[in-house]
Amino acid sequence: MANTIQTVTGPCRPADLGLTLMHEHLIIGWPGWESDTAAAPFDRREARKLCVDRMHELKALGVATLLDPCPIDLGRDVELAAEVAQASGVRIVCATGLYKEESGAAPYYKFRGAFTDSVNEMAEIFIKEISEGIGSTGIKAGVIKVATGPHQVTAYERNVIIAAARAHKATGAPITTHTDEGTMGREQLDILAEEQVDPRRVVIGHSCGSADLRYHTDLLDRGAYLGFDRFGLELLHPDRLRLAALIGLLGIGFERQIVLSHDTVWCWRGRALALPVETLAPNWDPRHVLLHIVPALRDAGVSQAKIDAMLIDNPRRYFSGAAR
Ligand SMILES: [Zn+2]
């Protein structure tokens, strides 16, 4: 069991984590953003201000910690995260790891893999980022991110998952995943199980993208955490289906294995989005769970103890490896 959890501003005791949002993004750079040389230059001061303002809003609602699981290859900026955590007083845990094949650094590692053991190289990178720090920043990753695209796990994605398993075993840092369309959670757990990873140290992310309760209970029965971590992203899956599944799973006693979040993105590298996200997804806001989903759960008869389990106890147990 880990006595300390690495945050971007230094280690923290598990008991001090407090209310934790388990999947939000300060900044994303969709791979290829560097090629948009006609975009306005990135305004780091503006980004920092926007993130600090958001953090103050979250802090006012009781949020103490936020996990930003941005992998290495999706525009990650851990120094920005450290500045925002410092200025706002909300802790941030950052990630090492790599994104899915179709949108990540796959070309580099596939090229390397033609000549050398790229799985070994990936594991080495993840371990260094967790134990020594990211680049020369001294900031350590507290979690390992892996990802799969929809309906299949590619050979590359499998390699990343194996490297993540090895880094987990070497460091004790937990694993969090990206899934698409509520698929491939089982396959992710299969690969991790082959590498002897305890599912209790794994969040299968975006599991709320499935409306299939058998998918959910299969993953839960194996001991993994489920991320109900895209509340407000109605464009991908309706909130009322996420909520119906969540209320059902809480009703049959799975509150100790579910974590909540929104997968919001606060700043984008490259050109600003052409579509107004505010009108298309008005609830895709990192306050939505606390302002709307928690009251909806209470209306459905979910106890405060179960709500606290998802928002406070589960993140602490997941990060520290403490028994359920
Ligand atoms: Zn995400």
Side-chain angles (χ1 to χ4, degrees):
M1 183 182 148
N3 290 319
T4 56
I5 296 157
Q6 289 302 336
T7 82
V8 295
T9 44
C12 124
R13 292 182 310 164
D16 295 335
L17 268 191
L19 200 160
T20 303
L21 290 177
M22 287 288 282
H23 196 127
E24 310 295 338
H25 297 280
L26 269 55
I27 185 166
I28 289 284
W30 212 247
W33 66 271
E34 303 99 324
S35 67
D36 190 353
T37 54
F42 177 59
D43 188 342
R44 203 165 184 285
R45 276 172 63 113
E46 187 57 36
R48 184 182 179 282
K49 186 184 177 310
L50 190 149
C51 291
V52 171
D53 287 351
R54 282 231 154 141
M55 284 298 215
H56 280 135
E57 291 173 359
L58 292 174
K59 196 179 178 184
L61 293 172
V63 175
T65 307
L66 178 146
L67 169 57
D68 180 342
C70 185
I72 299 169
D73 48 349
L74 208 57
R76 187 184 62 173
D77 185 341
V78 297
E79 285 173 305
L80 176 71
E83 288 170 29
V84 170
Q86 195 77 52
S88 65
V90 178
R91 288 186 196 84
I92 300 175
V93 177
C94 74
T96 186
L98 292 163
Y99 204 42
K100 58 185 173 179
E101 176 162 1
E102 67 176 22
S103 329
Y108 175 77
Y109 292 98
K110 285 161 83 174
F111 174 69
R112 299 280 315 153
F115 309 104
T116 184
D117 181 353
S118 62
V119 176
N120 208 29
E121 290 188 350
M122 290 175 193
E124 202 176 281
I125 295 163
F126 302 164
I127 292 167
K128 181 180 176 295
E129 291 204 335
I130 295 161
S131 50
E132 291 169 41
I134 293 163
S136 55
T137 62
I139 297 167
K140 295 176 179 175
V143 74
I144 309 163
K145 172 75 171 282
V146 300
T148 51
H151 305 286
Q152 64 157 339
V153 179
T154 69
Y156 168 78
E157 289 161 352
R158 184 183 174 83
N159 283 346
V160 175
I161 296 172
I162 293 169
R166 293 183 188 167
H168 163 71
K169 282 188 289 179
T171 64
I175 296 170
T176 191
T177 83
H178 167 98
T179 60
D180 276 329
E181 299 175 22
T183 66
M184 299 297 107
R186 294 183 183 98
E187 289 76 6
Q188 291 181 345
L189 278 186
D190 289 343
I191 300 166
L192 292 168
E194 284 165 25
E195 298 291 319
Q196 285 89 44
V197 174
D198 182 347
R200 288 173 297 185
R201 303 305 307 287
V202 180
V203 170
I204 302 295
H206 312 333
S207 294
C208 53
S210 171
D212 177 1
L213 291 171
R214 195 176 297 277
Y215 178 79
H216 295 138
T217 54
D218 279 357
L219 301 175
L220 291 163
D221 284 340
R222 292 169 69 172
Y225 288 96
L226 293 193
F228 270 65
D229 49 12
R230 278 186 153 174
F231 275 106
L233 254 179
E234 300 260 5
L235 295 172
L236 296 182
H237 192 72
D239 260 13
R240 60 186 199 136
L241 291 185
R242 297 182 211 278
L243 200 50
L246 179 58
I247 291 165
L249 294 170
L250 292 172
I252 56 170
F254 281 117
E255 68 276 4
R256 289 166 93 82
Q257 287 178 253
I258 298 172
V259 293
L260 304 179
S261 221
H262 316 81
D263 199 14
T264 51
V265 178
W266 303 356
C267 306
W268 300 90
R269 292 187 191 270
R271 216 172 287 226
L273 288 189
L275 296 166
V277 176
E278 295 77 13
T279 33
L280 282 173
N283 285 325
W284 196 39
D285 177 306
R287 296 169 297 181
H288 177 48
V289 162
L290 292 168
L291 292 179
H292 308 124
I293 300 303
V294 164
L297 292 173
R298 285 204 192 100
D299 282 352
V302 175
S303 68
Q304 189 60 42
K306 290 190 177 188
I307 293 165
D308 289 347
M310 294 188 289
L311 290 169
I312 301 168
D313 305 334
N314 295 347
R316 176 176 50 75
R317 281 190 285 258
Y318 163 75
F319 281 113
S320 68
R324 276 193 189 122

